[in-house]
Structure formats: structure tokens, C-alpha cells
Amino acid sequence: MPAKISEVTPGSIAEELEIQCGDEILSIDGTIPQDMIDYNFLCKSELITIEIKKSNGDIEEIELEKDYDEDLGIVFESAVFDKVKPCLNNCIFCFVAQQPKGLRDTLYVKDDDYRLSYLQGTYITTTNLTNADKERIAKLHLGPFYISVHTTNPELRVQMLRNPKAGNIMENLLWFKENEIPFHAQIVLCPGYNDGKELERTLKDLTSLGDELLSIAIVPVGITQFRTQSLSTVNKEIAEETLNITKKYTKACCSDEFFLLAEQEIPNSEYYGNFSQLDDGVGSLRCIMDDFDTLDLPNRISKPLKITFACSVAAKSAFYYIAKKLNKIEGLSVNVKPVISTYWGKNITVAGLITSEDFINTVKDVIADYIIAPSIMLKPYSDLFLDGASMRDVIEKTGKKFLITENNYSICEVIDLIWQYV
């Protein structure tokens, strides 16, 4: 996979050098970059020579002077230029294995690449981590990493990941500790496997790793209606038990779904610390509610405005909270329409897995000036849903007017819209 350029920042060094979308970086100072880690390291110099393959096939060599830390303004198609390290596991809870055919191709890719974990915050299992990988991590002192632990019981981890190499997790984590490499841990809770006493054991083992362990996220297993093998979901009783266990460990936080399943209030912001695993659904509801409470609201608007939040089922409590307060603004009418997943099944309740068909069925009869939806429902940097349909398709089929908010942890863009009606 070449270091192919997807975007050039306006006004940047790259634009001045007439580097364009579709060009490829072949080498920097004679070294072929394998990933963004190499690229960032090689560019930290005041004088560099870049070899570029233009989109028409011509090869150019560019020498340039710049400030030591000055960015070139290049965005690449991928953070990894060579082959992505694949996942070698066959986890009992693997979501990729629970998908039907016909979705976007990228949804079927199973990566387990430490570079993507460092650069983009994806989770790795460490089962394919080689000595060469460790040497590079230690040499460059990379981190933090996001590690899918699930359990520290060697036999149970082999069973859950269905990989004989999965049992050495504590050995790998101790290596991170000894080399002072920070990491976040994740536990996908599967009832009957790693809950209860096994969860207690895992949390005790992880806590023993000291300061290198930054946080522990516990999330419930997601099960779709396409799953062929039986696996239990987290119910109210297990959610309550899990919350009781984890409250004894200061670095452990349960995802919002546990509180919803246990029918408990979302905890205050102190529970989540620095919100280090927001993308795993740990604290996202508290984050958006707290952010809303800091926003400046008008008392009234001069002309009527109707808006509807089309949110995930998991996020509905936060949006009911927001809607209740917004409806106190004179002239404003706010409703909430949770999008129920008929495609995946009732157990899938997050915004990132909503399909265009379920979205359309939810909003087609809504009467509103604007329907608000978060960008997390769409593929990053595009307007595509999971099933390949676009937001333009939704607009054509519904005839509605939408506001897609870019910030998934704030409704500041919605408040800006409301102020336009004052």
C-alpha cells in the first residue's frame, strides 16, 4: 500500500510545492516510510528531501527547508502505508463475524495493528505482537495504546479469543509496564465467561500494573440477529453486578449501556476521570449533557421553530434531558425520535450502527423544520450509512431538512441554529 495522498491542506507547504491529491510519497531522505509513525519522525527536520510519484506517473525529487516541527499539510488515504497487521483471533464475540453481506467493504476488515492503536485509538489484542514490534515501540517510546484484554485468565482468554497465543496477555502487559509504555484496557463483558468472579480477577490483575495502566473500559457484548452461535446478552441483573464490582476500582469505568440496563442514573463527570475512552461509549452521555448545561440559551425566539433529534436508542435519555430544557424556550418545539434497529436487532442500540433504512423509517413521518442527527451515523469524511446509501438518498426519499452535527459530544451546532431564530 503506497503512501497515497488524499488531501492537501490549503495554504500549506505541500500546496506551495504543488503536491496534489493522488500523488504518492516514495521516500523521505532516502527512507521509505511504512506508516504515519515513520512519516512524522522523518519530517522532523529543518531540511528534507522528498521523492514523490505524481498521479501521472512522473517521479520528482523535492528539497525543502522548514521549521523543525512544521507540518507539510499532507493527509494520507491510510495511516499505514504497508500491509495492515490482520487480526489472527476468532473471538466468540467478534462483531465482524455477525455481519451480513452487502455492507461497506471496510466493515469486514479485521485489523489488530499496534500502529493504528497508537495513531487512531483502535484496540489491539497483542496476540500478533512480534519481538520486532516491541523493539520499535520501546525504541520510539510509543503510546498510549488501547488493548482489548477481556480477561487475564490465560485459559479463559484462549477460549474467548480462540487463539492459543492469547493466554500470554499478562506477560505482554508486564512488558508494557517494564518499558514504561502507557495503555488503556478494554473488557467486552460476555455473561457466563468473563463476568462475576472472572471480572474481579481481571480487574485485580490489571490494577497491579500500576501507573502504565491509564484506564479500564467495560462494555457489554453486542449481539446482532445475524449471529449463528449462542451468546447471552447483558441483562439488568448482570449490569447491576458489574457496576457493583467495578466501583471498587478507581481506574475502571463501565460504558453508559450498563447504567441504562441497570435502570440507574448516568453518573457525574468525576466517575469518568478524563473521559479517556469516550469512543467506547464510556461517558458519552454525561459528556453531552454536561456540555449542554454550559451553553448559552435564549429565553424566547422570534419565530416558531420545530426540531427533532433522531438519536440512537442508547442516547435517548440524554436527548430527553436536553429536549425538556430546550422546550422551555418560548417559540421552540423539540422532540426526540430514537432510531430502532430492525436491521441488526433490538440488542444493537448505538448510533454508529444505524442503517439508512432504519433511519428513514424513523424520520419519514416527522414534522419538523430540522431533523438533527449526529455524524457518527455516517462513515467518517463522507455522507454514507453502513449499508452504502448516502444522506442525499435519505433527503430524496423523505423530503426532510437535516442538520448533521459534526461534534458527537455537544449540541453547540444546534444551539447556534436556535440563536438564528432569536
Side-chain angles (χ1 to χ4, degrees), residues 379-398:
K379 180 182 177 181
Y381 313 113
S382 79
D383 70 341
L384 298 178
F385 285 84
L386 283 173
D387 48 13
S390 70
M391 197 65 214
R392 292 188 298 275
D393 297 327
V394 172
I395 293 171
E396 289 178 4
K397 291 180 179 180
T398 63

Side-chain angles (χ1 to χ4, degrees), residues 19-90:
I19 296 173
Q20 298 176 334
C21 177
D23 293 350
E24 298 172 13
I25 302 292
L26 299 181
S27 68
I28 300 174
D29 289 338
T31 299
I32 300 172
Q34 301 299 309
D35 48 47
M36 282 296 297
I37 300 172
D38 280 348
Y39 171 79
N40 290 333
F41 177 77
L42 292 167
C43 285
K44 285 192 179 298
S45 179
E46 293 179 348
L47 179 63
I48 60 175
T49 300
I50 305 176
E51 186 181 21
I52 294 180
K53 181 180 179 181
K54 303 296 289 182
S55 56
N56 62 6
D58 292 344
I59 307 294
E60 292 184 4
E61 190 172 272
I62 302 174
E63 292 185 3
L64 65 98
E65 279 189 67
K66 64 179 187 64
D67 293 336
Y68 176 80
D69 283 329
E70 191 173 4
D71 182 56
L72 298 183
I74 292 174
V75 179
F76 294 97
E77 287 187 350
S78 172
V80 174
F81 308 147
D82 59 359
K83 188 176 181 181
V84 172
K85 291 170 70 70
C87 179
L88 304 178
N89 310 303
N90 185 24

